[in-house]
Amino acid sequence: MERSKRKSTFVEKILNAPAGSIVYREPDIVLSHDNSARIRKLFEKMQGREVLYPERLVVVLDRKMTGTTDELMRDYNSIHDFMEEQQVKHFFDCDKGICHQVLAGFIRQGLIVVGSDSHTCTAGAFNCFAVGLNKTETAFLWKKGKMWFRVPETVKITLSGKLRPGVYAKDLALWVMGMLKEENVNYQSVEYHGEGVNFLSIADRMTIANVSAEMGVKNSVFPPDDLLADYLGDYAVLGVWADENACYKKELYINLEKVFPLVMTPFPENEIKGVGEVGEITIQEGLIGACSSGRIEDLRVVARLLRGKRLAPGFQLSVVPASRDIYIQAIKEGLIDAIVKAGASVLGASCGPCLGSSHMLGAETKRFISTTNSHSMRHMTDVGVEKYIASPATVAMTALRGKLDVEIAYPENVFEYWTVPIEAITIGTGEDRKNRNIWNYADIDHIAAEQLFPEKRTYKIPIECAEAMRPYLLAGLDGTFASRVQAGDIILAGEDFGRGRLIKHAAIGLVESGIAAVIVKSVDRSFYRMAVNCGLWIIIAPQILEAYRVGDQITLNLEEAVVKVNEKPYSLPEEYPVFIEMIRKKGLLQLS
């Protein structure tokens, strides 16, 4: 079908290509924060001298909460000098707020927004294609102004009804996360549709889009509507949206009137349950705010619940407004006064506690409840602290009682979606998975990056010593692989390839060993971009794996985007020439 006649999803429209294609596009906004000092070093390593489009950069120093280390001060000085040198207009110094909230002050709908932070996806609330990239990709963008993207398939979620009193956007975000755990949504886009969207404020939409990073999806996006037009001060609804009858990978439905208060249990299980399912556990400390739930609407809820009351004895509650403007507005409305008089601490506008750059835990803390999503707080588990995630209202109510509690308890409180624990599968002794040049693990889903390369070895083998990685490749999956792998070999794998902690050594080691391609049913979002940027060709093609039988021959043609199983060709989606060159040259850095 001609592209002009094809019914397109939002992301197919904004990237102007069908799902699965590899395209090369110019983002409208390139966001970064305190990691801009490291991005600068990578930019200069690429022989970059002048940022190609300084007017597209948005740089916000937002990690500092209290004090700074010598290293951070040096980073800040480096960033200040570079911003002045490059004449970056949109540079925001410390304490202006969190980058995702600051960005909301001048964003427009229908843009391509990228950033060196996984929660860049928050801008999907503004009808933008908003995704996180890594530091190397951001440095490349500073120099070249363009970046490759794989156009994701799309999941359509239709919302009906309206959230009940005492149920908030964070509860809905957790509901969606729990529901999608039962689906294979790796690297897919999520669109929100239906009359239920009309009852979600822009702040609600930001909270929901923000959690995309933890869902494993590529991005989430809301439609342009009257509410967004009013927020942006437009006289008419502008933006980009999917065609009616566009083709979706999945279509799901949520009745907002059925949603109830939820909580996410500690890492590594991260199970989502109704608050009533968990029970009245004792909790010693809480955090409300940051980029997930630090907007004025959130602070109004917290102040309403805390006003005229006192926190439970010994409970430590910290509240972090998402920006200085929100902080000032909260002072004007008397919200800060109510929160502080209840016994809570209000911290400066930053994401310091979420990042872990500021010490939060009290000596007696055994359980910690927070509105923040970030995986960077996993370190709490390492020191024996259980971290729970919930809405601002649930955290506030818990702070008042010292036990997990909700504003309004509903009789239905058992979350219907649950996830079967994933157990790592290893190849048994005497089982040979290699035939011809094919390593066949197509029947194995959820192969973790840790199985591809042991994390403990990453501390002993520098990233530059690729040859030294070879003896440990696939050590957690197939003990025979490292000694038998040869240049030109192909790996086949099932769903969710490369899941878990991001281990760059896995991709670099496979490239060094000569792996020609990895063909998978689906792949972890973060692992995919990291691996491809290292020059590892990952092909997402379940139809090839379904056709393959042991003994078949697979041949690859990167330039023609064709894979043959025996003599039957399988055409891959369009691949932009820069992508092909990147695979040929073994990495994004080689293109700079």
Side-chain angles (χ1 to χ4, degrees):
M1 184 180 293
E2 295 179 10
R3 182 168 298 173
S4 59
K5 296 180 180 179
R6 179 175 50 83
K7 301 296 184 182
S8 299
T9 64
F10 165 84
V11 72
E12 288 175 324
K13 276 192 174 182
I14 206 164
L15 293 179
N16 193 30
S21 303
I22 305 293
V23 299
Y24 198 47
R25 298 288 182 263
E26 291 187 4
D28 300 286
I29 293 176
V30 181
L31 178 69
S32 61
H33 45 58
D34 297 42
N35 62 13
S36 299
R38 281 169 283 176
I39 295 171
R40 176 186 180 177
K41 291 177 182 178
L42 289 166
F43 174 76
E44 292 170 346
K45 185 178 180 181
M46 296 174 182
Q47 306 304 313
R49 291 179 174 81
E50 294 185 359
V51 174
L52 185 60
Y53 298 120
E55 69 278 7
R56 297 180 184 175
L57 267 59
V58 177
V59 180
V60 185
L61 302 185
D62 62 3
R63 272 19 188 188
K64 183 179 77 68
M65 182 180 71
T66 54
T68 54
T69 63
D70 289 344
E71 181 182 3
L72 190 56
M73 286 299 297
R74 286 193 292 271
D75 284 349
Y76 281 3
N77 290 337
S78 172
I79 295 167
H80 282 128
D81 293 344
F82 191 73
M83 294 300 106
E84 183 176 353
E85 174 188 318
Q86 298 292 329
Q87 298 183 335
V88 175
K89 177 182 178 182
H90 300 301
F91 171 57
F92 299 87
D93 211 336
C94 301
D95 301 324
K96 296 294 191 301
I98 301 169
C99 59
H100 313 300
Q101 187 65 42
V102 173
L103 183 63
F106 55 89
I107 201 169
R108 307 301 301 174
Q109 61 275 74
L111 302 182
I112 297 176
V113 179
V114 301
S116 59
D117 184 281
S118 62
H119 291 116
T120 301
C121 52
T122 307
F126 301 97
N127 185 236
C128 293
F129 175 64
V131 297
L133 300 177
N134 64 34
K135 294 183 289 292
T136 301
E137 291 172 312
T138 305
F140 186 87
L141 273 165
W142 285 8
K143 183 178 181 182
K144 298 287 189 178
K146 290 185 176 183
M147 179 50 59
W148 70 272
F149 299 93
R150 180 183 182 273
V151 183
E153 293 81 9
T154 299
V155 176
K156 178 181 180 181
I157 299 181
T158 300
L159 306 178
S160 62
K162 182 180 180 180
L163 293 174
R164 295 176 290 181
V167 182
Y168 297 91
K170 187 68 176 189
D171 297 308
L172 176 56
L174 292 173
W175 190 285
V176 174
M177 182 187 292
M179 181 177 67
L180 292 183
K181 277 190 174 185
E182 290 196 347
E183 308 289 339
N184 173 30
V185 295
N186 276 316
Y187 212 94
Q188 294 177 24
S189 175
V190 173
E191 289 179 5
Y192 288 96
H193 292 251
E195 50 92 12
V197 171
N198 300 330
F199 297 105
L200 298 175
S201 69
I202 299 303
D204 291 338
R205 298 177 191 188
M206 291 178 72
T207 294
I208 295 163
N210 178 271
V211 81
S212 304
E214 283 71 34
M215 290 180 184
V217 299
K218 182 66 178 173
N219 72 296
S220 295
V221 64
F222 283 85
D225 58 9
D226 291 332
L227 194 66
L228 181 59
D230 290 343
Y231 182 92
L232 297 175
D234 294 329
Y235 293 105
V237 176
L238 307 171
V240 179
W241 199 232
D243 292 322
E244 191 174 351
N245 300 320
C247 182
Y248 293 99
K249 185 80 171 180
K250 289 184 177 70
E251 295 194 33
L252 305 171
Y253 301 86
I254 299 175
N255 181 351
L256 299 183
E257 295 175 2
K258 300 294 185 182
V259 178
F260 47 82
L262 297 174
V263 64
M264 179 185 284
T265 62
F267 176 82
E269 289 79 13
N270 287 151
E271 287 292 329
I272 294 171
K273 297 182 177 181
V275 173
E277 290 182 83
V278 179
E280 292 189 345
I281 58 173
T282 300
I283 297 179
Q284 294 81 24
E285 190 170 346
L287 172 67
I288 296 171
C291 69
S292 61
S293 302
R295 283 164 277 284
I296 193 68
E297 293 86 348
D298 301 308
L299 300 186
R300 287 170 183 155
V301 171
V302 174
R304 174 174 57 80
L305 295 174
L306 297 185
R307 183 171 278 112
K309 302 172 185 175
R310 291 290 299 175
L311 303 187
F315 195 98
Q316 179 179 324
L317 176 64
S318 300
V319 179
V320 185
S323 73
R324 178 188 288 179
D325 289 344
I326 290 172
Y327 202 141
I328 293 171
Q329 182 64 30
I331 292 173
K332 290 179 179 177
E333 294 184 19
L335 309 181
I336 300 299
D337 182 72
I339 291 169
V340 172
K341 284 181 177 178
S345 300
V346 180
L347 308 178
S350 77
C351 62
C354 181
L355 180 73
S357 60
S358 298
H359 186 67
M360 290 290 300
L361 298 176
E364 301 301 318
T365 298
K366 299 301 180 185
R367 294 193 182 102
F368 184 100
I369 187 167
S370 172
T371 62
T372 61
N373 307 317
S374 180
H375 291 318
S376 61
M377 295 188 83
R378 285 178 175 173
H379 71 279
M380 290 186 178
T381 305
D382 298 335
V383 294
V385 175
E386 298 177 3
K387 178 199 171 187
Y388 295 81
I389 297 175
S391 73
T394 297
V395 177
M397 292 302 297
T398 300
L400 289 174
R401 285 200 61 208
K403 296 179 182 293
L404 183 62
D405 200 3
V406 296
E407 179 184 357
I408 299 176
Y410 288 95
E412 63 276 22
N413 60 14
V414 177
F415 190 56
E416 61 183 289
Y417 303 98
W418 62 285
T419 306
V420 177
I422 297 171
E423 296 185 7
I425 295 176
T426 56
I427 304 304
T429 303
E431 186 178 357
D432 190 356
R433 288 298 184 107
K434 186 175 186 181
N435 188 284
R436 295 177 180 260
N437 66 328
I438 310 296
W439 294 89
N440 184 13
Y441 310 112
D443 60 320
I444 302 178
D445 297 333
H446 313 297
I447 296 174
E450 165 72 19
Q451 292 180 272
L452 304 178
F453 192 90
E455 184 180 18
K456 63 183 180 181
R457 291 288 174 184
T458 64
Y459 306 112
K460 300 179 180 180
I461 301 176
I463 204 74
E464 299 82 11
C465 300
E467 183 61 33
M469 302 173 192
R470 184 167 178 150
Y472 308 102
L473 291 174
L474 272 65
L477 177 66
D478 186 342
T480 72
F481 180 89
S483 61
R484 299 170 61 205
V485 63
Q486 295 180 319
D489 283 358
I490 298 169
I491 295 175
L492 309 183
E495 305 276 10
D496 197 23
F497 182 77
R499 63 178 294 271
R501 292 181 184 259
L502 200 60
I503 299 178
K504 194 172 184 179
H505 287 63
I508 292 175
L510 290 173
V511 171
E512 174 65 24
S513 70
I515 290 295
V518 181
I519 305 175
V520 300
K521 293 178 182 176
S522 70
V523 62
D524 178 84
R525 168 183 59 86
S526 299
F527 185 85
Y528 176 75
R529 286 204 68 89
M530 178 276 293
V532 171
N533 285 330
C534 290
L536 182 64
W537 190 17
I538 297 182
I539 302 169
I540 305 170
Q543 70 276 20
I544 293 176
L545 298 177
E546 290 169 6
Y548 175 79
R549 298 293 180 270
V550 175
D552 287 349
Q553 182 178 6
I554 295 179
T555 54
L556 310 170
N557 189 323
L558 177 61
E559 283 74 15
E560 298 296 328
V562 172
V563 175
K564 286 185 178 181
V565 179
N566 296 326
E567 294 303 316
K568 184 176 180 179
Y570 291 84
S571 295
L572 304 177
E574 175 186 355
E575 294 178 343
Y576 203 85
V578 168
F579 179 86
I580 296 173
E581 185 182 4
M582 180 170 61
I583 299 299
R584 286 289 183 212
K585 290 186 174 181
K586 297 186 178 181
L588 185 67
L589 278 174
Q590 310 310 317
L591 300 182
S592 60

